Amino acid sequence: MASAPYLAPFNIRVNSVHLGAIETPMTKDLLSDPADHKSLLGTTPIGRAVQHQEVSAVVLFRGLR
């Protein structure tokens, strides 16, 4: 459920980050297995795990360098 449309009439803004799979040393083995890869990323719109820099850039409201 998206909160922003429901709270906008009350002049409340909602910003949120909803994480999926993040490529890290801990998830490297899991993401390298084809069956696990498909189950983890099959419904992900971009079809891949994100890098931690991508998440921090969004949270900090700045572009990637």
Side-chain angles (χ1 to χ4, degrees):
M1 175 174 116
S3 299
Y6 298 103
L7 296 173
F10 302 102
N11 211 17
I12 299 172
R13 280 190 250 169
V14 177
N15 294 316
S16 60
V17 176
H18 301 269
L19 300 175
I22 301 174
E23 192 173 308
T24 67
M26 190 184 333
T27 62
K28 183 179 178 181
D29 290 338
L30 188 61
L31 292 170
S32 66
D33 181 272
D36 289 334
H37 187 274
K38 184 176 180 178
S39 71
L40 286 172
L41 302 175
T43 60
T44 304
I46 61 173
R48 65 174 177 83
V50 298
Q51 302 292 314
H52 66 88
Q53 298 93 333
E54 294 174 280
V55 177
S56 62
V58 169
V59 171
L60 295 172
F61 296 103
R62 64 179 182 154
L64 292 172
R65 296 181 186 157

